[in-house]
Amino acid sequence: MRLSREFIHDLLTTGRAGPRLLQESAVLIDVWTAYGDEPERAVDLLLTPMDSLPAARLASELHDEVLRFGPGDEDLRPRIFPLEGFVAVHATRELFLKVLLPMTGANIAEGILRLEGLVGLTPSEGLTLQDLLRFARGRRASLSPDLRVTLLYLLMIAADPADLGSEAKRGVELPKSVATLSDILNDAPPISVDPVLEEARGHRSIWQIACNRSVTQMGRSSETVKADAARRLFKTSARHLTWAVIDSGIDGSHPAFRDHAAGGFASRVTKAYDFTRLRDIAAYDVLLDDERNKALKASVIALGMSAAEAEEWIARLQADARNGRPFDWAVLSGLLETRPDKLESADRASKPNGHGTHVAGVLAGDWREGDKPVFEGVCPDLKLYDLRILNEDLTVPDTEFAVIAALEFVRWINSRNRYPTIHGVNLSIGLEHDVRNFACGQTPVCRACDATVRSGVVVVAAAGNDGFHRLTASDGDFSSYSGMTINDPGNTESVITVGSTHRDRPHEYGVSYFSSRGPTGDGRRKPDLVAPGEKIDGPLPGLGLGRLDGTSMSAPHVSGVAALLMARHAELVGQPMTIKHILIETATDLGRERHFQGAGLVDALRALQSR
């Protein structure tokens, strides 16, 4: 049975919520339409596991389930392949309905019983698709997303005897080929609750199922902030500017960061430094303990440094430690430097996580295949410094320390030259404000940000993703929106703090539900701006391209606009507060409350036209 895209879209999206109704569903609408259009073919899918489940574990669990289906047709084999944070699978409709859908936590059996109750039938009377569809046609606007999914499941699974092995034995007549609602209503078979459907009460392993789409140009979030129009109108080039991305690492070998003007395979990620190793290298108990110092020298040599050079550099750090002097960043940076164009090396933390690569791509990606653009960030010829403060698994005990060290490094590298090397910093990270020990905006990381802005560097920070909470009270759990949830370093007065809005319909949907809201804990206005942060396209390590959500994705949009502004007006280099003022004054008001939207949506075109 073929179900047209129009029918599926109408079934799943009609109602007051409009097209957003199914966005929070585990199964994206393009998956349903793919199986409805061509039920006989397998569809290539990307599965996102639950946060607590590694992708490899999900792949193993899925493989065990698939074994029940036997080898099958070679062209339809699942080809399960785990990546970082994703599992690819080539899935038939049977595999999708009987294995993948239950793994999202969908309870089809319960959905059928609820639908029967709404229609006014009992299990003993039997439920026909005709009954359901007649009911849905009149009241589908009031049906919850999970009941709509149940209805669509029934339509698909009742079409093929193989989908429910006992179907033919129970005398269920299959419908003729149908494509419209009226066809289904006139030719719908009866179907009763089958005990086999109780198996659909699976545990939730899969957070989201999406189609593994063909690679296309970046989505509309760059257009939303008018970066594409600003670049075309003013023909700006940011090749002489550099932005530091303080995050989990950038895959500098990704084609999104290729330096097309330089030719060859040169990367615009010019340097990479691993700050997660800083205390392993320069802690006093390492430098001044003979045994640990030997191990340190061995690890430094393993990274490619000669024994003589390692001995000299570590001796200089030891001398600084013994004499109570600040460490020499010229030495430290040499020991922290890693390869920006390699995913892996002898350095245990040199493999970047997808988060930092994605953030850098939104800021400065430029992926081309020949003359065809595949992906483009806000400022696509900007150079990048990769300052890694998180390990591959995003856990390191000294995160704030690493951020402060990275910011100090930025100030040092700029001060040693007669001109700035790094013009801006993007911080798509968050730390909870320590209310018992620090005034709001005065925590160590906030003060380090202030010092960096005073040195002439633009600092852009994500507001945080704490705008919606599940709270526990004496009478139970409940969910609620929350104010005063800006994270550090977004609480810093001098930084540009960015909240999130919809990727291409910000006026309609306003501020994202998860976006942290102001004011700050001491009553200051934050966030400063909003930018797209929902389902944002960006590069992932290897040759990946995917979507992530959060104010982490919003911040690089603003970083990119700030870089375009400096590229257009060179006199603004070294003037971060002036740049912040311009971006705020030229933002587009979304008509939302000030502590939700700040000044509004960042607007690249208006910012560049303002001077």
Side-chain angles (χ1 to χ4, degrees), residues 44-45 47 55-67 76-83 86-91 95 99-100 103:
D44 218 32
L45 301 175
L47 316 180
R57 285 270 305 279
L58 173 59
S60 176
E61 180 181 337
L62 181 58
H63 179 261
D64 291 342
E65 292 289 329
V66 169
L67 288 178
L76 300 178
R77 60 190 177 91
R79 290 180 285 181
I80 301 169
F81 195 103
L83 296 170
F86 298 97
V87 175
V89 57
H90 199 59
L95 177 59
V99 176
L100 300 182
M103 291 174 75

Side-chain angles (χ1 to χ4, degrees), residues 285-301 310-311 314 318:
D285 59 334
V286 173
L287 289 171
L288 304 180
D289 180 278
D290 289 341
E291 290 302 315
R292 294 185 182 181
N293 191 261
K294 289 178 182 177
L296 170 61
K297 290 175 184 175
S299 67
V300 171
I301 293 170
E311 184 80 37
I314 292 173
Q318 284 179 314

Side-chain angles (χ1 to χ4, degrees), residues 287-343:
L287 289 171
L288 304 180
D289 180 278
D290 289 341
E291 290 302 315
R292 294 185 182 181
N293 191 261
K294 289 178 182 177
L296 170 61
K297 290 175 184 175
S299 67
V300 171
I301 293 170
L303 293 175
M305 191 174 291
S306 69
E309 193 175 16
E311 184 80 37
E312 178 188 354
W313 285 31
I314 292 173
R316 290 168 63 182
L317 292 177
Q318 284 179 314
D320 289 339
R322 289 195 178 101
N323 291 287
R325 293 191 297 259
F327 287 127
D328 185 348
W329 273 107
V331 176
L332 278 177
S333 61
L335 295 173
L336 296 175
E337 189 169 1
T338 187
R339 290 284 301 275
D341 59 342
K342 297 292 183 185
L343 278 173

Side-chain angles (χ1 to χ4, degrees), residues 78-161:
R79 290 180 285 181
I80 301 169
F81 195 103
L83 296 170
E84 185 177 4
F86 298 97
V87 175
V89 57
H90 199 59
T92 61
R93 190 167 72 169
E94 182 183 17
L95 177 59
F96 165 67
L97 291 172
K98 295 186 67 175
V99 176
L100 300 182
L101 187 60
M103 291 174 75
T104 67
N107 194 328
I108 301 300
E110 181 178 326
I112 292 174
L113 293 173
R114 288 169 61 196
L115 282 172
E116 285 183 322
L118 289 172
V119 177
L121 299 175
T122 65
S124 60
E125 293 177 302
L127 178 66
T128 68
L129 294 180
Q130 185 174 9
D131 293 326
L132 289 177
L133 289 169
R134 185 179 294 113
F135 171 79
R137 183 169 61 176
R139 290 185 51 188
R140 63 185 167 208
S142 63
L143 284 180
S144 63
D146 59 324
L147 290 183
R148 297 179 188 215
V149 166
T150 299
L151 184 57
L152 191 52
Y153 172 93
L154 290 172
L155 283 170
M156 288 189 174
I157 209 162
D160 302 309

